[in-house]
Amino acid sequence: QVQLVESGGGSVQAGGSLRLSCAASGYTNSRYYMAWFRQAPGKEREGVAGFDSSGSTSYGDSVKGRFTISQDNAKNTLYLQMDSLKPEDTAMYFCAAGWGLLPTEWLLDRRSYAYWGQGTQVTVSS
């Protein structure tokens, strides 16, 4: 049973930083891909940052240069370092995972992912 558990969300002022974590368990495939998505009220879920087991990464245009996705293999944990946060970054953030090979251009497509966490809320005030 694959489980993804997010943590690290919270409230922060504009310009501040947060680091989200996603603890993953229950998978054994050496080829995998993972990503962070977010969804604000009334909006569609959008891809923020993606990562695959070959080391390829992909970032949404609105977060390039501000967010960094990384992984700690020893801890089976995916991270999202978010710097220079803006009020428009306010959303529920979700961790997602899938297995196998995936073209890099599909890393931020939510249809690529079979497994999802429950989400962690990020609120940025101006």
Side-chain angles (χ1 to χ4, degrees):
Q1 182 81 13
V2 175
Q3 282 194 317
L4 302 173
V5 180
E6 303 96 332
S7 61
S11 297
V12 65
Q13 288 194 327
S17 298
L18 282 174
R19 188 177 79 158
L20 305 183
S21 300
C22 173
S25 62
Y27 67 93
T28 57
N29 198 322
S30 61
R31 292 181 174 176
Y32 58 89
Y33 44 94
M34 300 183 75
W36 290 96
F37 288 78
R38 68 185 181 187
Q39 188 167 18
K43 294 188 177 181
E44 290 191 356
R45 192 169 295 190
E46 65 168 343
V48 174
F51 173 94
D52 72 21
S53 53
S54 72
S56 297
T57 58
S58 181
Y59 291 92
D61 288 341
S62 62
V63 306
K64 283 179 181 176
R66 300 189 298 122
F67 291 11
T68 304
I69 191 170
S70 63
Q71 182 190 38
D72 185 330
N73 281 327
K75 296 181 180 180
N76 290 334
T77 301
L78 184 72
Y79 300 102
L80 184 67
Q81 178 67 41
M82 305 186 295
D83 298 318
S84 302
L85 282 161
K86 304 175 181 180
E88 51 264 44
D89 294 318
T90 295
M92 183 72 78
Y93 283 70
F94 299 88
C95 175
W99 319 131
L101 297 176
L102 187 74
T104 303
E105 56 265 34
W106 292 357
L107 280 175
L108 299 187
D109 187 333
R110 64 182 185 271
R111 296 169 296 181
S112 300
Y113 294 86
Y115 303 99
W116 293 84
Q118 293 300 307
T120 185
Q121 178 68 37
V122 171
T123 302
V124 184
S125 58
S126 57

